[in-house]
Amino acid sequence: MKIGIIGSGKVGGTVGKRWAAGGHEVVFGSRDPGSAKMKELLEATGGKAKAATLAQAAAAAEVVVLATPWAGTKEALAAAGNLAGKIVIDCTNPLAADLSGLSVAPDTSAGEQVASWAKGARVVKGLSTTGSGNMADPGYGGQRASMFICGEDAGAKKTVGGLMEELGFEVVDCGPLAAARQLEHLALLWVCLAYKLGNGPNIAFRLLRR
């Protein structure tokens, strides 16, 4: 599958390296594809991924992974260009700087805002409720961490779910894109537990069933 990754930080870099190792065609989009940071990331993939501009990475992709800091998300989407018909995995979280809450109104979410900015894209919220360490290895003593996703398009969710399962997650479909309002609070809880309350990043959520 052709995957364009907008954002080369911990989340984008981690999943990009893993999907490239799994045989997917991964292109990292960057405002500066020739930067030292990007060269280092490409070397970490063993030469299995490429770098391009944001627009080039998005145009060539079947799936676009949006892994940007929330403050730069709208600008990054504008630079990526027309995403109509493409699957967009929204990994963003609009966390307040002091972790006191979210920086979007309670009647919306980052996921819904992304869908309004990326006209016609098939947006799925995912890779947003845990840290990049769990994306590198979601296994916990024989159990798999859950990856919660939501979106309007069943076909897009099936594709995204498959990519998450390749990473080793148990996928939980949380329904329509409006469920991103709850998932973004779940992300806030994970960050607070891990960093504000001192549990560290080696923690994960899992949905248990009886």
Side-chain angles (χ1 to χ4, degrees), residues 81-93:
N82 183 14
L83 298 174
K86 294 184 183 290
I87 297 173
V88 173
I89 304 176
D90 172 34
C91 313
T92 66
N93 276 309

Side-chain angles (χ1 to χ4, degrees), residues 45-138:
T45 71
K48 294 181 178 179
K50 299 178 181 179
T53 66
L54 298 177
Q56 289 169 337
E62 299 166 270
V63 175
V64 175
V65 179
L66 186 62
T68 53
W70 176 242
T73 296
K74 187 175 183 180
E75 182 182 354
L77 284 170
N82 183 14
L83 298 174
K86 294 184 183 290
I87 297 173
V88 173
I89 304 176
D90 172 34
C91 313
T92 66
N93 276 309
L95 306 182
D98 62 357
L99 302 181
S100 61
L102 302 181
S103 60
V104 294
D107 61 348
T108 189
S109 64
E112 290 164 282
Q113 299 234 336
V114 165
S116 73
W117 296 332
K119 299 294 186 184
R122 302 157 68 195
V123 177
V124 177
K125 190 80 182 182
L127 293 174
S128 64
T129 54
T130 196
S132 60
N134 287 327
M135 296 173 199
D137 180 10

Side-chain angles (χ1 to χ4, degrees), residues 4-82:
I5 298 184
I6 308 302
S8 52
K10 290 183 178 179
V11 170
T14 298
V15 297
K17 285 185 285 188
R18 293 204 60 202
W19 283 327
H24 294 285
E25 295 180 37
V26 173
V27 178
F28 290 99
S30 172
R31 290 183 175 83
D32 184 6
S35 68
K37 178 183 177 182
M38 185 57 67
K39 288 178 181 177
E40 183 179 344
L41 178 56
L42 295 181
E43 287 175 4
T45 71
K48 294 181 178 179
K50 299 178 181 179
T53 66
L54 298 177
Q56 289 169 337
E62 299 166 270
V63 175
V64 175
V65 179
L66 186 62
T68 53
W70 176 242
T73 296
K74 187 175 183 180
E75 182 182 354
L77 284 170
N82 183 14

Side-chain angles (χ1 to χ4, degrees), residues 151-191:
E152 302 298 329
D153 188 299
K157 285 196 286 187
K158 183 177 180 180
T159 297
V160 171
L163 288 170
M164 303 304 168
E165 287 174 352
E166 287 184 31
L167 296 175
F169 287 104
E170 176 205 41
V171 177
V172 179
D173 185 345
C174 297
L177 191 58
R181 302 175 194 183
Q182 288 77 52
L183 296 189
E184 288 162 16
H185 279 94
L186 188 61
L188 175 62
L189 175 60
W190 188 90
V191 171

